[in-house]
Amino acid sequence: MSKIKLPATIGHLERLVGFVSDCAKNTGFSDNRIREIELATEEALVNIFNYAYPDGPGDLEVSCTPQQNASLKIEIMDNGMPFDPLSLPDPDLQADISERKVGGLGIFFMRKMADELQYRREKGCNILTFIFLMKKAD
Amino acid sequence: MEIVYAKEEKASVVSVSGRMDGVSAPDFEQKMVSWINEGESNFVVDFGSLDYISSAGLRSILVTAKKLKAKNGRLLLCSLKDTVKEVFEISGFSSIVPIFDSVKAAVEEI
């Protein structure tokens, strides 16, 4: 397992996504699947940057663990406000341009790109666990 | 992310390369808004060299498209790579913004 801990700010997005991307590459994921993993990771991170620490600075930690069945487990942990992104509904994907809302897509992408996605609150921390298979099941 | 602007006879062609993510998407939106405010109303955005887009990128496109619609302008996209195209398709954005195979095909549509 490898991990990285950094302040939860947008300025660290590139480094955090790059860290996950390198893990996926070293595990043998295809470039296309890596783009999908980057997308799910970015959406989870941006939510934390925006909402976890309304009262001041805080950190987040990302860990990557290659699994035996050609998959990668990615955990993202913060000790900010309790927030379960999976409790939110998907956006209306059919809405036309004037009706279409600007938010909600991030969580949809997290769900869509991951093979498994779980949230738990443990010891004052939000923990999101993604499982990505090398080839996403349809 | 790099953005190159070219004023053509029928449209402004904006070529975007690299990654449109939570850091760079606001930059795209800001540039588009400033060109719209200068009076440009027909845009072809060439994503031929765009490797990655997240919801932040889609958000900036939606904001720009709404602004243009209010001014009777147009926003057309073209030359999307497969991974970028996938993001447009699963999010339903491919039915919000017209997508073409080439800059030429998009410009002809205007």
Side-chain angles (χ1 to χ4, degrees), chain B residues 22-108:
Chain B
V23 174
S24 58
D27 188 32
F28 171 79
E29 188 179 319
Q30 228 169 39
K31 288 200 162 80
M32 290 295 291
V33 167
S34 71
W35 290 318
I36 294 168
N37 289 342
E38 283 165 18
E40 296 303 322
S41 57
N42 292 317
F43 289 86
V44 170
V45 176
D46 178 2
F47 278 163
S49 300
L50 188 73
D51 299 315
Y52 172 90
I53 191 164
S54 68
S55 72
L58 294 184
R59 188 172 300 126
S60 67
I61 289 166
L62 182 63
V63 169
T64 309
K66 281 184 190 249
K67 221 175 224 336
L68 281 169
K69 190 164 190 236
K71 296 186 179 231
N72 289 322
R74 300 193 70 188
L75 178 69
L76 310 180
L77 307 181
C78 69
S79 314
L80 278 60
K81 289 186 180 181
D82 284 349
T83 45
V84 171
K85 193 180 263 175
E86 184 197 3
V87 172
F88 274 83
E89 280 168 1
I90 64 172
S91 62
F93 265 61
S94 45
S95 58
I96 294 182
V97 189
I99 297 175
F100 295 84
D101 288 338
S102 65
V103 174
K104 189 168 172 280
V107 171
E108 275 169 8

Side-chain angles (χ1 to χ4, degrees), chain A residues 10 13 17 32 35-36 38-39 42-43 93 95 97-98 100-103 105-106 108-109 112-113 136, chain B residues 19 21-23 51-56 58-59 62-63 65-66 69 83 86-87 90-93 95-96:
Chain A
I10 188 83
L13 178 69
V17 170
N32 279 1
R35 294 291 95 77
E36 295 176 346
E38 289 175 346
L39 177 58
E42 173 180 336
E43 303 299 352
L93 303 177
I97 186 167
S98 5
R100 190 76 195 227
K101 299 281 189 304
V102 170
L105 271 176
F108 172 74
F109 286 143
K112 197 83 185 169
M113 296 306 169
K136 184 175 57 174
Chain B
R19 298 169 67 89
D21 61 14
V23 174
D51 299 315
Y52 172 90
I53 191 164
S54 68
S55 72
L58 294 184
R59 188 172 300 126
L62 182 63
V63 169
K66 281 184 190 249
K69 190 164 190 236
T83 45
E86 184 197 3
V87 172
I90 64 172
S91 62
F93 265 61
S95 58
I96 294 182

Side-chain angles (χ1 to χ4, degrees), chain A residues 72-76 86 114 116-120 127-132:
Chain A
L72 186 64
K73 178 164 94 173
I74 295 173
E75 284 202 321
I76 304 178
L86 306 181
E116 281 178 46
L117 176 55
Q118 285 169 349
Y119 167 84
R120 68 183 194 276
I127 304 171
L128 264 179
T129 307
F130 289 95
I131 302 283
F132 295 100

Side-chain angles (χ1 to χ4, degrees), chain A residues 18-37:
Chain A
F19 169 78
V20 168
S21 190
D22 288 345
C23 291
K25 203 177 176 102
N26 294 337
T27 311
F29 281 75
S30 69
D31 285 350
N32 279 1
R33 191 66 179 128
I34 291 173
R35 294 291 95 77
E36 295 176 346
I37 293 172

